[in-house]
């Protein structure tokens, strides 16, 4: 688009259908569950990973400890991990190297779960087809950061939850959880 012309042959040569792509959902909390519902019509081979499998998941779910076994055959990895001592830098050079050539990496959880230098190296070498980053470290990413100009990196401004009615939705969510807490019921979106 910046050149003012399309290279239709290159676009078609690099296009694929989502159908049957092995897609790993890493971090299967409320966002992962909703994403699994939204992806269902695309007939992906979805496999979710979470710290503790509960058994009520709508897709096949494994414990995060089993992730490395599945990285070498994943076409798409969607990282939705929260930031914690156990998740910081989880997607490091070793794990990114496990992905097959041409894989796509998407990060929508927390920026510190991805080793951005390792990601940059994998993209620069052409090992990964694309990286889609809604979160970075730091955030916002400084204008001079090399990820802005890295090949096949698409950065979004991490605004998915930031809407005009966000404070009211947060208050409603808090009040509902307070009601549930006082009645001894399970709270919504609890991280365990």
């Amino acid at each position: 688009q910046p050149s003012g012309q399309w290279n239709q042959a290159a676009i078609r040569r690099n296009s694929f259908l989502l159908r049957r792509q092995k897609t790993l959902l890493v971090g299967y909390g409320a966002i992962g569950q909703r994403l699994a519902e939204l992806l269902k019509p695309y007939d992906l081979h979805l496999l979710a990973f979470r710290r503790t499998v509960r058994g009520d998941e709508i897709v096949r779910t494994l414990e995060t400890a089993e992730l490395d076994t599945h990285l070498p055959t994943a076409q798409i990895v969607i990282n939705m991990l929260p930031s914690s001592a156990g998740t910081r830098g989880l997607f490091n050079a070793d794990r990114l190297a496990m992905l097959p050539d041409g894989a796509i990496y998407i990060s929508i959880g927390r920026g510190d779960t991805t080793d951005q230098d390792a990601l940059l190296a994998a993209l620069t070498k052409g090992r990964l087809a694309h990286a889609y980053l809604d979160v970075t470290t730091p955030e916002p990413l400084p204008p001079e950061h090399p990820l802005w100009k890295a090949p096949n990196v698409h950065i979004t401004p991490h605004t998915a939850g930031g809407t005009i009615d966000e404070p009211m939705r947060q208050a409603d969510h808090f009040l509902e959880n307070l009601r549930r807490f006082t009645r001894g019921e399970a709270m919504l979106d609890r991280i365990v």
Side-chain angles (χ1 to χ4, degrees), residues 64-137:
T64 309
E66 299 181 64
L67 177 63
D68 291 357
T69 305
H70 295 273
L71 288 173
T73 56
Q75 285 103 8
I76 302 169
V77 172
I78 305 173
N79 172 4
M80 295 169 279
L81 292 168
S83 178
S84 72
T87 62
R88 282 187 208 99
L90 188 101
F91 282 97
N92 57 23
D94 291 338
R95 283 205 174 84
L96 292 171
M98 289 180 193
L99 292 171
D101 289 349
I104 295 171
Y105 180 76
I106 302 167
S107 184
I108 60 175
R110 288 293 174 250
D112 67 359
T113 62
T114 301
D115 178 339
Q116 291 175 171
D117 292 335
L119 179 63
L120 183 60
L123 289 158
T124 303
K125 291 175 188 169
R127 285 210 56 272
L128 297 180
H130 294 275
Y132 297 87
L133 307 175
D134 190 48
V135 291
T136 58
T137 299

Side-chain angles (χ1 to χ4, degrees), residues 45-66:
H45 289 299
L46 289 177
L47 186 57
F49 293 86
R50 68 183 334 170
R51 190 175 0 158
T52 305
V53 178
R54 296 191 320 219
D56 62 349
E57 296 87 356
I58 65 168
V59 298
R60 183 172 170 225
T61 304
L62 302 172
E63 291 184 2
T64 309
E66 299 181 64

Side-chain angles (χ1 to χ4, degrees), residues 11 14 21-22 35 62 71 82 84 92 95 107 127 137 139 141 147 149 169 176 186 189:
I11 292 170
N14 293 308
Q21 297 292 308
K22 183 174 181 182
L35 183 57
L62 302 172
L71 288 173
S84 72
N92 57 23
R95 283 205 174 84
S107 184
R127 285 210 56 272
T137 299
E139 198 170 274
L141 202 58
L147 277 173
K149 293 188 168 112
R169 286 185 295 113
E176 177 59 26
D189 300 324

